[in-house]
Amino acid sequence: MLLLGVMVWLLGQPAIAWAAPTVPHTDDLARAVQEIENLDGLRSGLASSLEGSTDEPTMQTMKEVCRPVGMQAKKLSQENGWQVKQLASKYRNPDHAPDNLHARMAIAAFEQHPDLVGFWDRETLGDQTGSRYYRRIDVEASCLACHGLQNNRPQFVKDNYPQDLAFDFQVGDLRGMYAVFIPDELQMAIQDAVSP
Ligand code: HEC
């Protein structure tokens, strides 16, 4: 009976010991999801502010749509120790080409399942294991000014992106995805910091 009692006590311990550290873990993942929603909202807002304007987008207006998204992704990476990227098989900036097999599979999954908005994957990037969040990016009417027909692309796009593949899209097409990698190491550091 005593042995049984000890076993029950032992079984009870890990549950208590584990409960606290998992809280910041899920917090960080949830925060990444929220930050990506904010990032996507930033682009949609900026792109729709161009709509109705009859002027052809210039270098200046471009800076006000997709470049700030890239800059904000960098900032999120630096501030959190995450790796925040935009990835697309039809990319404009070659830095945004899919960076591993998992990413290519994620794009295929979004292509096949239009209702799939986002999901988490377990991955090893470089020498780090961690969790990677993928979130789809769809084409809206406001994107077509710069991602529509090849010949209608603004001059600055033709001039600055000789390897451009990000055109001939239609509303509702998959444009690409966001990818946020959170290394386990970082998770453990956060857990250590909050543990008594
Ligand atoms: C004013 C022109 C313009 C508009 C409007 C625009 N984009 Fe872009 N987009 C660009 C340029 C230029 C780049 C490359 C930026 C860079 O070098 O990082 C780009 C890059 C991207 C990328 C990163 C992947 C890649 O191809 O390099 C995504 C994703 C994207 N755009 C989605 C959208 C979506 C979605 C919309 C509409 C909501 C939109 N864009 C509207 C000009 C535009």
Side-chain angles (χ1 to χ4, degrees), residues 16 37 52 123:
I16 297 162
E37 292 311 304
E123 284 186 29

Side-chain angles (χ1 to χ4, degrees), residues 43 62 66 86 91-93 96 143 146-147 161 175:
R43 169 157 34 220
M62 181 218 51
C66 290
Q86 309 170 77
Y91 50 80
R92 175 151 292 170
N93 183 333
H96 301 145
C143 316
C146 299
H147 297 292
Y161 297 91
R175 173 65 186 84

Side-chain angles (χ1 to χ4, degrees), residues 120-180:
W120 286 95
D121 190 26
R122 291 292 301 165
E123 284 186 29
T124 304
L125 277 194
D127 56 358
Q128 289 184 305
T129 57
S131 302
R132 202 178 201 192
Y133 176 63
Y134 292 110
R135 159 71 157 88
R136 73 182 302 128
I137 305 172
D138 285 334
V139 174
E140 301 163 27
S142 59
C143 316
L144 298 180
C146 299
H147 297 292
L149 292 180
Q150 180 171 18
N151 291 334
N152 291 355
R153 288 172 306 158
Q155 193 58 42
F156 76 85
V157 172
K158 294 178 188 166
D159 294 345
N160 292 307
Y161 297 91
Q163 304 178 55
D164 189 17
L165 301 170
F167 48 76
D168 287 350
F169 283 103
Q170 288 175 6
V171 173
D173 285 349
L174 180 71
R175 173 65 186 84
M177 59 186 190
Y178 304 96
V180 184

Side-chain angles (χ1 to χ4, degrees), residues 32-44 84-88 102-103 106-107 109-111 113-121 123 132-140 173-181:
V33 171
Q34 187 53 52
E35 291 291 3
I36 289 304
E37 292 311 304
N38 297 347
L39 194 58
D40 196 59
L42 172 71
R43 169 157 34 220
S44 295
V84 183
K85 291 185 179 179
Q86 309 170 77
L87 300 173
H102 287 254
I107 290 178
F110 286 130
E111 291 274 10
H113 305 285
D115 293 339
L116 178 63
V117 176
F119 64 95
W120 286 95
D121 190 26
E123 284 186 29
R132 202 178 201 192
Y133 176 63
Y134 292 110
R135 159 71 157 88
R136 73 182 302 128
I137 305 172
D138 285 334
V139 174
E140 301 163 27
D173 285 349
L174 180 71
R175 173 65 186 84
M177 59 186 190
Y178 304 96
V180 184
F181 181 72

